[in-house]
Amino acid sequence: MKMTGNTILITGGASGIGRGLAEAFHRLGNQVIVAGRRKDYLDAVTQANPGMRAIELDVTDQESIAEASAQVLRDFPSLNVLINNAGVMALDNPAEPVDDRMLVDSVATNFLGPIRLTSALVEHLKSQSAATIVNVTSGMGFVPFAIGAVYSASKAALHSWTMTLRYQLEGSTVKVVELAPPWVRTDLLNSNEAEGAMPRAEFIAESMALLATGADEVLVDRVRRIRANPGPNEAAYFQEFNDMMLKG
Ligand SMILES: NC(=O)c1ccc[n+]([C@@H]2O[C@H](COP(=O)([O-])OP(=O)(O)OC[C@H]3O[C@@H](n4cnc5c(N)ncnc54)[C@H](OP(=O)(O)O)[C@@H]3O)[C@@H](O)[C@H]2O)c1
């Protein structure tokens, strides 16, 4: 994708990967709008990055999506990039009774949210001369994590939906990109200090370089084996990955 001169809406842009992408695009001279629920986090990002804007948004709430998308289109009619980054991850065990609130919240945030926000903005994006939709999935959409079952499934679903979106937008002005991170040091699962997770700055730098190449899938080196897993050996690597993560 073109890396400068865009007007970019990033959900979950006030922390972690979203904030990293927001600040990297801001430094390149793009108009960036970060969106999320916590106003204090949004304020902290805009104060640290003069010119960046913020909007309160709960991607699990249809009304909030309708209001925020209308406001963005009113205030930023040049909007041409949507980054569906907001996500939540809870640990669970599919072999035990499921916590229904966790189930509904995970699916509403990670899967319904990107679909609903894309739906609210897609006609506008199609009217732009060059637009991009980036959906942030996860390596766990390709190798499910046995203690993050609902999360992994929600990301696999978003991967599937992203493929159909790309297919249907072929020949339009809208490019569809899937960004599938490996484990990265962020607040997600309190991973900021995790040795095994990729440092956030390295992840952002590698991802920005890959975004600039125009690739359909943004896959940093660390996630490529996981991305390549589905296929005849899927079950074997699923077992190996989970044994490594959970049994040491
Ligand atoms: N870190 C990793 O290891 C990793 C690996 C693979 C994929 N990912 C994906 O990367 C994305 C970003 O995660 P992160 O690691 O940067 O974690 P993070 O710092 O916890 O960021 C998640 C962001 O999503 C926002 N969010 C959550 N629920 C929301 C809602 N209902 N409405 C609007 N915004 C909401 C949060 O803001 P508010 O709480 O203020 O709303 C927060 O800014 C997620 O989709 C995650 O699944 C992360």
Side-chain angles (χ1 to χ4, degrees), residues 12-18 35-38 57-60 85-88 109 136-139 151 155 181-184 186-188:
S15 71
I17 290 171
R37 294 166 302 178
R38 291 168 297 180
L57 167 68
D58 181 348
V59 299
T60 66
N85 163 77
V88 289
T109 309
V136 177
T137 59
S138 168
Y151 175 80
K155 293 296 190 176
W183 190 16
V184 179
T186 71
D187 292 344
L188 204 80

Side-chain angles (χ1 to χ4, degrees), residues 77-209:
S78 58
L79 181 84
N80 71 325
V81 178
L82 167 64
I83 303 183
N84 282 307
N85 163 77
V88 289
M89 179 175 185
L91 298 182
D92 64 349
N93 182 347
E96 293 172 356
V98 68
D99 174 344
D100 198 65
R101 181 176 290 195
M102 180 283 294
L103 173 65
V104 171
D105 192 49
S106 300
V107 175
T109 309
N110 299 348
F111 185 49
L112 305 187
I115 295 176
R116 287 172 167 161
L117 190 57
T118 302
S119 165
L121 296 172
V122 71
E123 292 302 335
H124 170 84
L125 293 173
K126 284 195 283 188
S127 75
Q128 299 299 297
S129 58
T132 305
I133 299 170
V134 180
N135 287 339
V136 177
T137 59
S138 168
M140 286 174 185
F142 301 100
V143 180
F145 194 27
I147 58 168
V150 168
Y151 175 80
S152 302
S154 73
K155 293 296 190 176
L158 183 58
H159 163 69
S160 165
W161 188 77
T162 303
M163 291 185 75
T164 56
L165 180 68
R166 181 181 299 118
Y167 185 91
Q168 293 291 7
L169 285 171
E170 241 169 54
S172 79
T173 57
V174 187
K175 178 167 181 61
V176 177
V177 176
E178 176 172 359
L179 190 160
W183 190 16
V184 179
R185 290 182 204 167
T186 71
D187 292 344
L188 204 80
L189 287 190
N190 289 321
S191 297
N192 278 303
E193 313 292 330
E195 280 288 312
M198 186 169 182
R200 191 183 66 137
E202 274 176 36
F203 170 74
I204 296 297
E206 200 178 333
S207 295
M208 290 297 286

Side-chain angles (χ1 to χ4, degrees), residues 4-83:
T4 58
N6 301 295
T7 304
I8 305 174
L9 175 64
I10 306 186
T11 67
S15 71
I17 290 171
R19 181 168 179 165
L21 293 172
E23 292 183 327
F25 276 115
H26 178 75
R27 281 195 293 275
L28 290 173
N30 298 279
Q31 173 63 63
V32 175
I33 308 123
V34 290
R37 294 166 302 178
R38 291 168 297 180
K39 187 163 183 336
D40 51 336
Y41 273 62
L42 295 170
D43 289 345
V45 185
T46 51
Q47 274 160 25
N49 297 279
M52 196 185 284
R53 299 280 295 274
I55 186 162
E56 284 179 66
L57 167 68
D58 181 348
V59 299
T60 66
D61 178 350
Q62 262 288 41
E63 211 171 295
S64 174
I65 288 177
E67 277 170 19
S69 49
Q71 190 186 328
V72 168
L73 294 182
R74 198 170 52 240
D75 295 348
F76 301 96
S78 58
L79 181 84
N80 71 325
V81 178
L82 167 64
I83 303 183

